[in-house]
Amino acid sequence: RAEEAPPPKAEEPQALQEFNASLVRVNEKSPFGWAIDMLNPGALYIESLGSYASTAADRYNESAPAGEDIRPGDYITRVNGASGSAQQLGELLTASSQPQVTIQRPSAYVASLSKGDKPLGVDLNFTTKGRSLYIVGVRDGVVK
């Protein structure tokens, strides 16, 4: 009988990347050029970037330093130096025509779990239309 191969080891997460981006909108009603998800209580998740030319994100990305362009999957963690709830960050963002945002780019890694008949042990928050999944809590189960 052939031996089963061991499960793949979880990859080591890479260091979190963080940078500041100065955005310029024509006025406070001009679009930023992204779709935002507010599931994370302390950050805004950039779900997608629009294909509109001349938005604040588009103009920033045209001249951004290498690797510091704004991308889907990034998080906005501070606006004009202030941190707060997703709601507060959103309000600060919309009130400013030239905000400076702190962007965090998460690292991705894969972990394989064998659930069997045990519960997974995580409480999740998500939307049916969104691309993000927020782990609210960890309890007894495979993950813990």
Side-chain angles (χ1 to χ4, degrees):
R1 172 180 123 157
E3 269 187 52
E4 281 187 35
K9 292 184 179 183
E11 298 173 18
E12 286 296 316
Q14 299 170 351
L16 191 68
Q17 182 183 357
E18 183 175 270
F19 58 92
N20 291 319
S22 295
L23 303 172
V24 178
R25 296 191 295 166
V26 176
N27 60 51
E28 291 176 5
K29 299 214 183 276
S30 299
F32 282 102
W34 53 41
I36 297 288
D37 171 322
M38 298 175 74
L39 281 178
N40 187 311
L44 300 170
Y45 176 75
I46 300 173
E47 280 192 348
S48 63
L49 294 176
S51 56
Y52 315 107
S54 299
T55 63
D58 183 55
R59 281 194 304 280
Y60 170 80
N61 280 348
E62 286 175 357
S63 61
E68 293 187 7
D69 55 318
I70 298 171
R71 303 175 189 170
D74 287 346
Y75 288 88
I76 298 170
T77 58
R78 287 189 293 282
V79 176
N80 297 330
S83 58
S85 70
Q87 179 75 32
Q88 291 166 325
L89 291 172
E91 290 169 1
L92 288 169
L93 198 57
T94 57
S96 179
S97 59
Q98 296 185 5
Q100 180 177 30
V101 296
T102 301
I103 301 289
Q104 277 190 358
R105 179 157 301 139
S107 60
Y109 61 97
V110 177
S112 181
L113 303 171
S114 296
K115 184 176 174 279
D117 60 353
K118 296 179 184 176
L120 195 54
V122 290
D123 296 321
L124 304 173
N125 191 4
F126 58 93
T127 65
T128 55
K129 294 181 182 179
R131 294 183 185 177
S132 66
L133 182 69
Y134 181 73
I135 299 174
V136 177
V138 178
R139 51 190 157 73
D140 287 337
V142 175
V143 172
K144 194 172 187 180

